[in-house]
Amino acid sequence: MSDLAAQQDLDTELEKYRRELTGYCYRMLGSSFEAEDAVQDTMVRAWRNIEKFEGRSSLRSWLYRIATNVCLDMLNAGNRRARPMDLSGPTPVAQAQLNARPEATWLEPVPDGRVLPAVADPAERAVERETIRLAFVAALQHLPPKQRAVLILREVLAWKAAEVAELLDTSVASVNSALQRARATLAESPPTASDPANPLDEEQRELLERYVAAFEGYDMEALKKVLHDDATLSMPPFDLWLQGHENIVGWMLGVGAVCRGSRLIPTVANGMPAFAHYHAAEDGRGHTPWALMVMDIRDGKIAGINSFLDTKRWFPLFDLPAWLEPLAPMEPARPAES
């Protein structure tokens, strides 16, 4: 085999693992862009050191070892990404102020297709989706980096303790101890619950249709009916977050009134339904990007609206259009023929 053919074969073999490695790095880092950078660094390191791969473990295990080291190096800087509700309490709408924080503060959304490998087993698929939810990834950020790696490898990816110990160059006892401590930390501040939403059932589809109709029609009474009493609204990069449907509606009728005339286009993010939110263009022609809304559904109502406002970053990542054409005017109904 020629050197070129061997290089192409190696590239093909490494690419098989890109998506699952991106999911792993995303859970570790809480950033979709940093996760992709970490995986690219992993692939480069693997390529440069392939002659050192002795085959004592699988290529997959070796790549996870490299990816873990890359993530641990990135996390040594001490940055921990969060949601607004992880940093402060809710603000009553009457006292609401918009204070922006740097991009590196925030937990980031991620497209399902970038991080969820094709898994045939329904139970595995459910675990994969549950563990990329914003609330779950936010909870992981409270763990020290090595405990985070252990928990993801053991509980999400179902690795054996001995496999994790080999990957981390430690003992099985140390892995078990780290897992126990990680579980205890998560039990103290468990991630908020959300109903599974893939695929959406009929009730969830109907709920989201009502949400879209209420939001696009700016019908606040209808909107209130689809929100939980304690529903939350957050808007990174602003640290403000609101809790309760009265506060959310109050915001929408005040500062948020700029959203009147919006359009919502369905997508998916973090294993949950999401919407690309477009504002009416200032020149009156079409609609322009405003936010990526990642939804949480619980017990038949909307429990959380996570609106990410940096659309210059998010819309290209989610392959969303940069502009929506004006809606065609409704044609008048034709009179019935006699």
Side-chain angles (χ1 to χ4, degrees), residues 45-311:
R45 293 190 193 189
W47 175 263
R48 289 175 176 169
N49 295 284
I50 192 64
E51 293 180 357
K52 298 179 182 178
F53 175 56
E54 300 172 350
R56 288 180 295 182
S57 61
S58 68
L59 178 62
R60 179 173 182 257
S61 297
W62 186 59
L63 289 172
Y64 269 92
R65 174 192 283 265
I66 299 172
T68 300
N69 288 331
V70 170
C71 289
L72 292 177
D73 287 344
M74 294 173 75
L75 290 167
N76 278 339
N79 58 313
R80 175 174 70 85
R81 291 182 177 264
R83 303 169 303 163
M85 50 279 290
D86 301 317
L87 301 178
S88 66
T91 303
V93 68
Q95 301 170 19
Q97 293 183 347
L98 293 175
N99 300 306
R101 295 204 189 189
E103 172 272 321
T105 306
W106 303 117
L107 184 68
E108 297 179 350
V110 71
D112 288 12
R114 301 278 183 124
V115 294
L116 292 176
V119 177
D121 182 81
E124 286 184 45
R125 204 159 54 235
V127 170
E128 288 277 359
R129 291 189 174 279
E130 168 65 20
T131 57
I132 63 161
R133 285 197 309 115
L134 289 168
F136 186 87
V137 179
L140 289 176
Q141 305 305 300
H142 292 278
L143 301 175
K146 283 197 175 179
Q147 285 185 30
R148 200 180 308 176
V150 168
L151 184 101
I152 296 168
L153 292 165
R154 292 281 285 121
E155 307 251 297
V156 178
L157 302 177
W159 284 38
K160 295 177 181 176
E163 294 172 326
V164 178
E166 182 178 354
L167 182 146
L168 294 175
D169 286 326
T170 189
S171 65
V172 169
S174 178
V175 166
N176 289 336
S177 175
L179 180 60
Q180 186 176 11
R181 293 196 303 273
R183 284 171 173 167
T185 300
L186 289 190
E188 290 174 2
S189 301
T192 52
S194 235
D195 294 341
N198 189 272
L200 293 168
D201 61 31
E202 184 176 348
E203 182 182 357
Q204 290 170 334
R205 284 194 297 272
E206 190 268 341
L207 172 69
L208 292 172
E209 287 170 3
R210 289 169 58 203
Y211 175 77
V212 170
F215 198 97
E216 291 186 343
Y218 231 68
D219 183 341
M220 292 299 106
E221 284 304 312
L223 185 67
K224 195 183 298 185
K225 289 177 182 177
V226 300
L227 297 175
H228 268 289
D229 290 353
D230 62 349
T232 61
L233 170 64
S234 62
M235 295 165 282
F238 300 114
D239 56 13
L240 169 74
W241 67 282
L242 304 168
Q243 185 168 43
H245 58 51
E246 294 290 353
N247 279 309
I248 293 173
V249 166
W251 174 265
M252 298 296 290
L253 292 173
V255 176
V258 293
C259 294
R260 193 182 296 273
S262 293
R263 288 174 62 188
L264 303 182
I265 304 299
T267 183
V268 289
N270 293 83
M272 298 299 293
F275 294 102
H277 176 190
Y278 292 82
H279 269 197
E282 290 184 3
D283 61 7
R285 294 183 295 178
H287 287 72
T288 56
W290 183 256
L292 176 74
M293 291 178 169
V294 184
M295 315 300 289
D296 286 315
I297 299 174
R298 187 181 73 247
D299 301 330
K301 288 194 173 185
I302 305 293
I305 305 167
N306 307 277
S307 285
F308 295 89
L309 303 183
D310 190 356
T311 55

